[in-house]
Amino acid sequence: MSDLGSIYLGGTAPSTLVRAGHVQARHRAVAVFSDALFRGERAPHCPHWF
């Protein structure tokens, strides 16, 4: 579930998680398309420390 959160929030590209073995993609093109689909304009940032 943390992998989905990191993709959705833009912290990690889906293709990175595919290469790490955390996510499966049937075709390489799907991972590349997912990168473009979930890419944000800027990197996520949280100004508050927990």
Side-chain angles (χ1 to χ4, degrees):
M1 201 62 165
S2 62
D3 295 326
L4 178 60
S6 64
I7 291 171
Y8 184 71
L9 294 174
T12 305
S15 62
T16 301
L17 295 173
V18 169
R19 286 192 304 273
H22 290 260
V23 176
Q24 295 180 356
R26 295 186 186 267
H27 300 283
R28 171 87 175 119
V30 172
V32 173
F33 177 74
S34 297
D35 285 351
L37 184 65
F38 288 100
R39 185 176 298 124
E41 292 181 16
R42 55 187 172 171
H45 174 73
C46 180
H48 304 286
W49 292 94
F50 293 95

